[in-house]
Amino acid sequence: MYIGTLILLLLIVIILALSIYQSKKKVKEMNLILKDILEGNLDRKLLVKDHTELSETYFIINEIVAKYKEELVNLKQSEKTYKQLVTNLSHDIRTPLASLMGYLSAIQDGIVTGEEKEEFLKLSSEKANILKDYIDTLFEWLKLESGERIFEFERTDIGELSREVMGEWILQLEQNQIEYQIRIPEEEIELVIDAASYRRILNNLLQNVLIHSHADLITLEVREAEENVYVSLTDNGVGISEKDLPHIFERLYRCDVSRNGKGNGLGLAIVMELIKANKGSIHVESKEAEGSHFLIKFSKNKIETSKSQG
């Protein structure tokens, strides 16, 4: 009997010793892997071979490392994007700024007079407006990215607001020999929306047509169907290539040279972000040499009147 008890106690001691040894071994392995992770190897993982008291700890640590890796990747992508943004903007701003300074210098020094002076003043105004557009676009994007964009959702007659925006573009469209059609019903189309966002959406889409499409006809249509409001902008320009179409709403993406190399690659990205903020969606269809069709859909039931920060 005593011998049996001693053997049992010996077995218990051996099992405990092995358990302690295995635990120490696992802790040592864990420390080595964690040290490797700390030194920057975020691909290392703690392997869970069995269900022990350490299994849940291993799982939590792996989740923390995976989340940190994802955040680090996003941070690096953001840094890359901002560097590219600064590079693009500095390049895009330099040309109109140099032209503006040249025109103003010629006027100030009396090199041009009469009709030529008036022409230089007109060109100076155009270059100044280009710079203003770049700055406005940049600040809009930065506010959206930082979450500091304030949205004021109010009941608005979307048809009347669309007519107002389009009216502000008529002179510029006529100067560029672009015909236009406006198809908006006379009756009120009420929608809860951030009016400033909607103005920016339409302005960016129209600017995109003006800069890139080479169209001579555009059509703006607003219609109501059941619980949705649809806003479409169609042009008969050069269209968007099949290669570019999936990427046009990506920030800093620029289509190929056939659609003109101008633009800062933020206009349509801002359109997408603002439409999302207003609980809408946008769909694009386009064929090269046939034109493009942008269709925006807003739900009448998704937003309540309020003020919120994006």
Side-chain angles (χ1 to χ4, degrees), residues 117-181:
K117 179 180 178 180
E118 293 300 316
E119 180 64 21
F120 270 46
L121 284 171
K122 179 183 176 182
L123 293 171
S124 298
S125 178
E126 290 176 359
K127 298 302 179 183
N129 284 326
I130 290 173
L131 291 172
K132 180 181 180 298
D133 287 340
Y134 272 117
I135 293 169
D136 287 347
T137 300
L138 177 59
F139 279 125
E140 182 74 33
W141 176 254
L142 291 176
K143 283 190 291 184
L144 286 168
E145 279 282 276
S146 64
E148 295 178 359
R149 176 66 158 80
I150 303 296
F151 295 91
E152 296 185 5
F153 300 109
E154 298 178 342
R155 295 193 178 280
T156 305
D157 181 354
I158 200 71
E160 183 60 30
L161 182 56
S162 300
R163 275 189 286 267
E164 287 179 13
V165 175
M166 196 65 184
E168 294 166 0
W169 277 86
I170 288 176
L171 180 59
Q172 196 168 358
L173 292 173
E174 290 177 346
Q175 288 175 342
N176 285 273
Q177 298 181 330
I178 299 176
E179 296 182 17
Y180 54 89
Q181 297 177 349

Side-chain angles (χ1 to χ4, degrees), residues 61-118:
I61 291 173
N62 286 336
E63 286 290 300
I64 291 172
V65 173
K67 186 176 181 181
Y68 174 71
K69 182 181 178 181
E70 182 181 357
E71 291 178 351
L72 188 62
V73 169
N74 292 336
L75 179 62
K76 287 182 177 179
Q77 182 60 43
S78 294
E79 289 178 354
K80 181 181 178 182
T81 298
Y82 280 116
K83 285 180 181 178
Q84 186 180 349
L85 174 62
V86 171
T87 301
N88 289 353
L89 286 175
S90 62
H91 176 269
D92 293 336
I93 288 175
R94 191 179 296 120
T95 301
L97 182 60
S99 298
L100 176 60
M101 293 175 65
Y103 292 137
L104 293 177
S105 178
I107 294 170
Q108 186 177 20
D109 294 342
I111 298 174
V112 292
T113 58
E115 292 184 3
E116 191 176 12
K117 179 180 178 180
E118 293 300 316

